[in-house]
Amino acid sequence: MDDITAMLRRSYDEAPYPGRAYAHTHPDYMATLATLLGLNPPPVAHCRVLEIGCAAGSNLIPMALSLPEATFVGIDLSPRQIADGRRIIETLGMTNVTLLVRDVQEVGDELGQFDYIIAHGVYSWVPAPVRDRLMALTKRSLASHGIAYISYNTYPGWHILGALRDLMIYAARGVEDPRERARIALALLDMLAESDSENANAFHDFLAAYAGQFRSVLSRLGSLSHAFLIHDVLEVVNEPVSFAQFAAHAAQHGLQYLSETEFPMVLPLGLKPETVDAIRSFSRSGIDLEQYMDFLRGRQFRQTLLCHDHVTVRRTLRPERLMGMSVAALMHPETQPLDLAGSEWVVFRNLHGVAFSVSAPITKAALICLAEASPRAVAFEDLVIAAQRRAVAAGASLEDSEPAVLARRLGGDLLRAFATATSLVSFHLHPPTMATHPGECPKVTPLTRLEAQHGEEVTNLYHDVISLEPFDRRLVQLLDGRHDRRALEEMMAAAVTAGEVPYAGDDGRAASLAGLAADIEQRLNWFAQVALLVE
């Protein structure tokens, strides 16, 4: 083991990374996106998954719970993190996930072939020879039609962030304790963000603006902000690359670029038509085009999907590829009452405020059906039939329309929504099962209860992270399917009375227990809406 590798191992042993689930690394997401691009990826239900740099398995373990017939292997350099993950696996009684202490440079063929490979937060944070071994391992271990996910810091955004990193490293020079280094770095960012001078030059203003932007990102990370600074910014190795460099490195190893996980980012959205025409004229390939868009957008981070270079990729999204998939969406029309029969344009918005305009009666009806079924995904073929019936009942003249014609129209609109923002609609080849209502004795997974016990973030059934307030954390820990409303009210009342759980009214002051039952019911319904409850 070389000196840098030893330093990296010590860094993660001394300050373990508080990992989390990353929705776009889930095999279902990767397989779905690959299918939309014309590939035939391995079936998700019985797939083999390798995560390189798995830490304590916070990303891998929820996947293994959601796919009990699949096999999961995680490797990491840190013995401490692997030991932490193994304790969780043992507590949950899981048998389809294995965590191993392994150095990427020493892994041979003993692990076998994998349908899906994940390397989140590794590529930019290891020396160049290790990056090369990582790419070689991915090529050697990836099944013929498998998909690999690799994330990395990228230029041009990291040119300025690199300057901030240099300043933070200089400020924390000589300090060995990683948490103290993070504290000093945060103080420096605050100073830069708040600095103001009439005589400041353009570079100072630019740096101060970036510092303020970076500080706001850290604020959104909450409890993960120190870990992000320690391991993502202040780590001994942090070497961004341009997208074109990354794609070329993959090509050297017989791998090809498939897509970004944030699909809208591969499209020239938000750019003026004349700008798009200009960069197309400069571009010799799709890689060139995306590289130019990175320059214009100041891209800082990428989450890239790769496949073998013998696979044919068809980059035009086609509605027929939605056959066999399920769809989930939660959008509401801005105008009421909604005319499902007419072809006037209507704006729908999701909970994040993202807008999507539609005119086809079949699509309007489908979005209403999806909102009613949310958070559960609906089979696309079933959605076409249900939306047709709903639109016809509202007066639309679709009763004689061919299902294939309606499917193409609806599918085209749904793909347009997906290309606008991945938060608008999601597609699934292997959708999770869940409870859409709390039921008499509400239940979450054992992992969710364990996560709520140890932190404020839990993983929902779509592999998304949900943040919980202290009241919610305690309530979630009680949802093992054995307690009815009365029992939940009694246990929560006891916790509030004992001062173990804060309970406040709308004005932020301590509230009486009179409204506890209604508040519990409201929280249970919210748990159902964010896909935390199981049947």
Side-chain angles (χ1 to χ4, degrees):
M1 181 185 300
D2 58 38
D3 291 342
I4 293 180
T5 302
M7 292 172 65
L8 289 171
R9 172 176 286 184
R10 184 167 62 252
S11 172
Y12 285 94
D13 278 345
E14 292 177 356
Y17 195 93
R20 64 194 304 185
Y22 299 96
H24 291 175
T25 68
H26 196 284
D28 178 60
Y29 185 87
M30 289 194 276
T32 298
L33 189 49
T35 301
L36 290 176
L37 294 172
L39 276 65
N40 185 26
V44 171
H46 298 89
C47 66
R48 296 194 80 237
V49 180
L50 170 66
E51 182 167 19
I52 302 167
C54 66
S58 299
N59 185 45
L60 206 60
I61 291 172
M63 292 181 191
L65 278 175
S66 70
L67 297 170
E69 302 300 320
T71 302
F72 297 81
V73 177
I75 62 173
D76 198 273
L77 195 63
S78 168
R80 176 178 175 180
Q81 293 189 123
I82 292 296
D84 291 344
R86 286 173 175 171
R87 280 191 288 272
I88 295 172
I89 292 169
E90 183 178 358
T91 298
L92 297 175
M94 301 176 66
T95 59
N96 66 331
V97 56
T98 303
L99 303 185
L100 303 169
V101 179
R102 291 288 190 278
D103 183 343
V104 170
Q105 301 178 88
E106 300 170 356
V107 175
D109 298 329
E110 68 276 8
L111 297 180
Q113 294 271 294
F114 294 89
D115 301 311
Y116 300 93
I117 295 178
I118 303 160
H120 181 78
V122 179
Y123 187 87
S124 290
W125 297 269
V126 293
V130 183
R131 286 201 297 274
D132 202 56
R133 293 296 294 269
L134 169 64
M135 200 66 80
L137 175 61
T138 300
K139 172 63 178 180
R140 188 173 67 245
S141 301
L142 189 65
S144 178
H145 291 275
I147 309 297
Y149 163 109
I150 300 180
S151 67
Y152 48 100
N153 286 338
T154 191
Y155 294 124
W158 259 92
H159 283 302
I160 296 298
L161 289 180
L164 289 176
R165 166 180 154 84
D166 291 343
L167 279 171
M168 289 186 279
I169 288 177
Y170 183 76
R173 67 193 184 282
V175 178
E176 294 187 2
D177 180 72
R179 291 175 178 81
E180 179 61 14
R181 286 169 59 82
R183 188 196 66 76
I184 294 171
L186 282 172
L188 178 71
L189 282 176
D190 288 339
M191 181 273 290
L192 288 172
E194 296 168 5
S195 64
D196 188 21
S197 172
E198 294 181 0
N199 299 319
N201 59 29
F203 181 75
H204 170 275
D205 292 341
F206 200 33
L207 202 62
Y210 256 79
Q213 181 186 40
F214 194 46
R215 192 62 178 88
S216 66
V217 170
L218 291 172
S219 297
R220 291 196 297 271
L221 289 174
S223 61
L224 291 176
S225 61
H226 274 53
F228 178 79
L229 278 174
I230 292 168
H231 295 300
D232 291 45
V233 180
L234 302 177
E235 196 57 86
V236 61
V237 179
N238 186 339
E239 299 182 3
V241 296
S242 71
F243 167 62
Q245 288 173 321
F246 176 84
H249 188 202
Q252 290 170 9
H253 288 271
L255 297 166
Q256 67 171 315
Y257 171 66
L258 176 60
S259 177
E260 280 300 291
T261 58
E262 284 284 346
F263 186 76
M265 294 302 292
V266 311
L267 305 172
L269 302 175
L271 300 177
K272 294 180 179 179
E274 55 268 30
T275 302
V276 176
D277 291 340
I279 62 176
R280 287 190 190 278
S281 70
F282 284 109
S283 302
R284 302 175 182 175
S285 66
I287 300 295
D288 272 358
L289 181 61
E290 288 201 43
Q291 181 62 76
Y292 281 118
M293 289 192 293
D294 278 9
F295 282 126
L296 294 175
R297 290 166 171 163
R299 193 77 177 265
Q300 303 168 2
F301 184 70
R302 270 185 171 261
Q303 301 171 83
T304 297
L305 298 185
L306 301 173
C307 62
H308 286 292
D309 57 8
H310 66 76
V311 175
T312 299
V313 181
R314 298 175 178 86
R315 300 194 180 278
T316 301
L317 300 185
R318 298 188 180 280
E320 58 266 24
R321 294 178 191 155
L322 294 178
M323 296 299 178
M325 292 189 185
S326 294
V327 189
L330 180 56
M331 290 183 263
H332 296 290
E334 282 189 340
T335 57
Q336 292 288 357
L338 177 64
D339 179 15
L340 293 181
S343 57
E344 296 79 13
W345 285 92
V346 176
V347 175
F348 283 73
R349 289 188 185 274
N350 67 5
L351 297 180
H352 303 288
V354 181
F356 179 63
S357 298
V358 297
S359 62
I362 187 68
T363 307
K364 296 175 189 176
L367 291 181
I368 298 299
C369 292
L370 289 173
E372 292 175 351
S374 180
R376 185 173 289 166
V378 179
F380 179 69
E381 291 87 342
D382 293 343
L383 179 62
V384 173
I385 295 171
Q388 181 184 22
R389 289 174 177 169
R390 191 173 200 123
V392 168
S397 55
L398 299 180
E399 59 269 22
D400 296 326
S401 299
E402 289 291 331
V405 174
L406 295 176
R408 281 196 297 272
R409 180 57 195 266
L410 174 58
D413 280 341
L414 293 177
L415 288 172
R416 182 166 57 87
F418 183 71
T420 301
T422 52
S423 65
L424 284 174
V425 61
S426 63
F427 304 117
H428 303 272
L429 286 167
H430 190 84
T433 57
M434 63 192 67
T436 56
H437 299 89
E440 184 177 350
C441 295
K443 183 179 180 181
V444 298
T445 69
L447 176 62
T448 301
R449 298 198 301 274
L450 189 63
E451 290 175 327
Q453 182 179 345
H454 294 286
E456 62 188 27
E457 292 185 341
V458 297
T459 308
N460 76 358
L461 297 168
Y462 281 114
H463 207 63
D464 278 319
V465 171
I466 306 296
S467 296
L468 301 180
E469 298 294 333
F471 185 88
D472 293 340
R473 286 180 58 191
R474 175 59 70 92
L475 181 57
V476 161
Q477 293 175 56
L478 302 176
L479 303 184
D480 58 4
R482 298 183 298 175
H483 305 301
D484 61 14
R485 297 298 191 282
R486 181 173 180 179
L488 292 174
E489 291 165 17
E490 291 175 351
M491 289 185 287
M492 290 300 295
V496 171
T497 303
E500 298 171 357
V501 179
Y503 182 52
D506 293 336
D507 57 2
R509 292 180 294 180
S512 71
L513 297 179
L516 186 63
D519 285 340
I520 288 175
E521 193 65 29
Q522 188 269 334
R523 301 319 292 162
L524 291 176
N525 282 303
W526 181 72
F527 294 162
Q529 292 171 18
V530 296
L532 283 177
L533 300 184
V534 297
E535 294 179 330

